[in-house]
Amino acid sequence: MQHDKILILDFGSQVTQLIARRVREAHVYCEVHPCDVSSDWVREFAADGKLRGVILSGSHASVYEVDDRAPDAVFELGLPVLGICYGMQTMATQLGGKVEGSHHREFGYAEVRAHGETSLLKGIEDFATDEGNSMLKVWMSHGDKVTQLPPGFEVMCSTPSCPIAGMADEARRYYAVQFHPEVTHSVQGQAMLDRFVRDICGAAPDWIMGDYIEEAVAKIREQVGDEEVILGLSGGVDSSVAAALIHRAIGDQLTCVFVDHGLLRLNEGDMVMEMFAGKLHAKVVRVDAADLFLGELAGVSEPEQKRKIIGRLFVDVFKAEASKLKAANAGSKGATFLAQGTIYPDVIESGGAKSKKAVTIKSHHNVGGLPEQLGLKLLEPLRDLFKDEVRELGVALGLPRNMVYRHPFPGPGLGVRILGEVKKEYADLLRRADAIFNEELYNFVDAASGKNWYELTSQAFTVFLPVKSVGVMGDGRTYDYVVALRAVQTSDFMTADWAELPYALLKKVSGRIINEVRGINRVTYDVSTKPPATIEWE
């Protein structure tokens, strides 16, 4: 790979991968590596002459309680360095400053005043005070603060409770901020990161998905050689783009296995087969495993246990199908690679970032649910891509836009949208209710933007609640189930706001579900943001 690159050192923040996504939005290639890599490793990483700068991530830890430090080589290469939150604190500590616990912790919205005209913040502001001070609207998340600047640094910005909210050493091109420019709540965050990687670091903006196809295809061919690949095709964006990319690289060496686990959306199985077997002419084996999955899930209500069961069964099915393919093709070694549509958010939310320091939020069936011994080698061509990059790649590969920009669907399917025990009865009710919700999102057009509400939401779905409530239909009493509608808007899926759907739309959806899906008599709407909630309920 001949791209200019930025090295991001991960100290364990839940949003470290979001820094990488912002850098990639500037069309600059970057890699995330654990903070405890050695100085020799950093020098080797920079040996190709393509490293243009380093970013130090945040962390849930305190710099004076743990030993996590940036390798000394980071400050010896003569390259620009940007510290974010904990990254600022370790920069200060390592270069001769001081960090202490603060009596006033800051979590959430803050207004930061810029000082002077540093290269990082010059000309970037959200508003100016009557006194002419440039102000930035940012997101803070810290309980510690820098109390003494390292030699050579000046204050770059401040808040009333955090006098050193940013610092800069212009001569050495070292910059640090206590807030998080990578999150969407920091209004000018993207502009700051663009300024750092493209202007201060001078990195070339040549990371473009259309151009990346050739590199990805070459990498897959090199990894796979003449061996065969089996891929679990769910019909979701990630597995679909992975299938198209791998098929572009190795053609009939790929066999897609579509597992119908009984937890798919309405009519999804037929749509998947029509698209991939019918239009893309890929080899697709459809496996009806609904009884197997639902049988194993019977009586299980704990979310993590459900995910682990689904992950284990996927592996079992893949192994069985690989054996069948080998037996059906005399002389063939059979599939030796298991391909998956794993992407960055899967890894970070599973606590599976390379640093192993992130706090686990939940496991994913295609990361944490897999046992160490698969019997198959893993092929994950999308593992280092974010959702928006995967979508761009899918369009560049020629997949239909309406499929590529379909809302995300979890690997465990409706298994994590049915709270508590998973039953066929619940899945059937949920499928129909969810189909109505999505149909009305498509039908309801926002007059201001001219877009329908499916386009205006990033993810929308229905959750089945295993509780019953009293209702009345006609002159009779009902005692039926409850569903919750969930719709969010986000640009990164690391943070999300609930979508303010029009009341008329919610009224239409609720009326249709209650009248058309016998067994449901109450519809609620989820108005929780992420964080503190997650997008999915389980």
Side-chain angles (χ1 to χ4, degrees):
M1 187 176 292
Q2 295 302 311
H3 301 281
D4 284 352
K5 59 190 179 184
I6 299 294
L7 171 61
I8 300 171
L9 291 178
D10 180 18
F11 288 86
S13 168
Q14 288 291 338
V15 292
T16 296
Q17 302 295 344
L18 186 50
I19 302 172
R21 184 182 180 278
R22 299 297 183 214
V23 173
R24 301 245 187 112
E25 282 185 347
H27 297 295
V28 174
Y29 179 72
C30 61
E31 291 186 17
V32 178
H33 290 278
C35 63
D36 55 3
V37 295
S38 67
S39 285
D40 286 344
W41 184 94
V42 173
R43 294 186 188 97
E44 184 179 346
F45 187 78
D48 61 1
K50 291 294 184 178
L51 182 60
R52 296 289 180 256
V54 181
I55 298 177
L56 311 177
S57 85
S59 171
H60 57 276
S62 293
V63 73
Y64 47 80
E65 293 179 346
V66 297
D67 295 327
D68 294 338
R69 299 290 184 269
D72 291 340
V74 166
F75 302 109
E76 297 169 354
L77 292 172
L79 295 173
V81 182
L82 173 63
I84 296 174
C85 197
Y86 182 97
M88 171 175 168
Q89 294 165 13
T90 193
M91 179 188 288
T93 300
Q94 292 181 242
L95 298 181
K98 188 175 181 180
V99 174
E100 298 177 356
S102 175
H103 295 296
H104 183 86
R105 304 168 72 189
E106 289 183 296
F107 292 95
Y109 176 80
E111 294 180 354
V112 173
R113 174 189 169 186
H115 294 265
E117 291 193 334
T118 59
S119 298
L120 183 68
L121 298 182
K122 184 178 181 180
I124 298 177
E125 69 174 20
D126 288 306
F127 67 96
T129 65
D130 293 340
E131 295 78 18
N133 297 320
S134 293
M135 302 295 293
L136 295 165
K137 298 178 180 180
V138 302
W139 189 68
M140 291 278 199
S141 181
H142 71 101
D144 302 328
K145 63 184 179 182
V146 175
T147 56
Q148 180 180 316
L149 290 169
F153 281 79
E154 295 182 352
V155 174
M156 183 167 61
C157 51
S158 65
T159 70
S161 60
C162 187
I164 307 176
M167 62 184 192
D169 181 336
E170 296 271 48
R172 290 185 287 180
R173 296 181 297 172
Y174 293 167
Y175 303 88
V177 291
Q178 187 57 66
F179 54 86
H180 288 265
E182 69 271 29
V183 303
T184 54
H185 299 80
S186 292
V187 179
Q188 298 293 337
Q190 184 68 57
M192 295 177 208
L193 289 169
D194 284 0
R195 173 73 57 77
F196 179 72
V197 300
R198 294 179 61 169
D199 296 342
I200 295 173
C201 296
D206 59 0
W207 178 249
I208 300 168
M209 285 298 98
D211 300 336
Y212 174 66
I213 293 175
E214 184 177 344
E215 294 178 23
V217 164
K219 185 175 180 180
I220 292 168
R221 288 174 178 167
E222 179 182 3
Q223 183 176 356
V224 173
D226 61 356
E227 298 180 53
E228 295 182 19
V229 178
I230 187 171
L231 178 142
L233 181 62
S234 69
V237 175
D238 304 333
S239 67
S240 297
V241 174
L245 178 61
I246 297 170
H247 189 260
R248 170 78 67 92
I250 60 174
D252 286 345
Q253 289 172 249
L254 169 68
T255 299
C256 298
V257 177
F258 170 54
V259 179
D260 186 346
H261 49 27
L263 300 169
L264 298 171
R265 289 168 286 198
L266 192 66
N267 302 322
E268 187 160 23
D270 293 339
M271 290 187 290
V272 168
M273 294 302 296
E274 180 183 355
M275 173 57 65
F276 285 91
K279 295 183 180 179
L280 295 184
H281 307 295
K283 292 195 299 184
V284 184
V285 176
R286 184 173 184 173
V287 182
D288 184 358
D291 290 343
L292 172 64
F293 279 78
L294 292 172
E296 290 279 339
L297 289 168
V300 178
S301 59
E302 205 280 318
E304 280 296 285
Q305 191 178 355
K306 289 194 294 185
R307 287 178 176 273
K308 292 297 174 68
I309 289 172
I310 292 171
R312 173 175 57 79
L313 292 177
F314 263 97
V315 174
D316 291 344
V317 171
F318 287 140
K319 284 184 176 180
E321 291 305 315
S323 297
K324 291 178 184 178
L325 290 170
K326 182 177 181 179
N329 296 282
S332 169
K333 294 182 295 183
T336 55
F337 278 92
L338 169 63
Q340 296 190 142
T342 307
I343 65 172
Y344 255 174
D346 297 336
V347 176
I348 188 64
E349 288 203 347
S350 299
K354 293 175 181 176
S355 69
K356 303 299 181 186
K357 296 179 183 295
V359 176
T360 299
I361 303 299
K362 61 185 177 182
S363 66
H364 290 256
H365 83 279
N366 56 352
V367 180
L370 291 176
E372 293 184 5
Q373 299 299 324
L374 283 172
L376 298 172
K377 294 175 284 189
L378 277 178
L379 176 64
E380 298 175 312
L382 310 180
R383 186 180 178 86
D384 293 327
L385 301 184
F386 291 98
K387 180 68 73 172
D388 57 332
E389 293 177 318
V390 172
R391 295 187 195 279
E392 290 177 24
L393 183 61
V395 171
L397 285 165
L399 292 176
R401 187 175 180 85
N402 64 342
M403 182 184 76
V404 172
Y405 281 87
R406 193 179 188 189
H407 287 179
F409 189 62
L414 302 182
V416 291
R417 292 181 178 173
I418 297 171
L419 302 194
E421 183 181 5
V422 177
K423 297 182 180 180
K424 184 178 185 302
E425 173 197 0
Y426 298 167
D428 289 340
L429 291 172
L430 179 55
R431 255 188 286 272
R432 294 165 58 199
D434 190 63
I436 290 171
F437 185 27
N438 279 276
E439 181 181 329
E440 291 303 328
L441 287 169
Y442 271 113
N443 291 340
F444 207 98
V445 177
D446 174 61
S449 65
K451 296 181 178 180
N452 65 50
W453 274 95
Y454 189 88
E455 295 176 275
L456 292 173
T457 53
S458 306
Q459 192 167 355
F461 55 91
T462 310
V463 178
F464 182 88
L465 309 183
V467 296
K468 288 187 173 183
S469 70
V470 174
V472 58
M473 290 187 180
D475 294 323
R477 174 186 182 275
T478 63
Y479 191 57
D480 289 326
Y481 291 108
V482 180
V483 294
L485 308 178
R486 175 71 157 153
V488 300
Q489 294 173 315
T490 176
S491 62
D492 50 49
F493 288 88
M494 302 297 287
T495 61
D497 290 323
W498 61 275
E500 297 185 28
L501 300 181
Y503 287 155
L505 170 57
L506 290 171
K507 184 176 182 179
K508 180 72 176 292
V509 173
S510 176
R512 283 195 60 193
I513 289 175
I514 291 172
N515 282 285
E516 297 177 30
V517 185
R518 185 177 296 274
I520 297 173
N521 71 352
R522 192 175 299 273
V523 177
T524 66
Y525 188 54
D526 181 351
V527 292
S528 308
T529 61
K530 176 186 179 180
T534 54
I535 294 176
E536 297 285 350
W537 279 43
E538 288 192 344

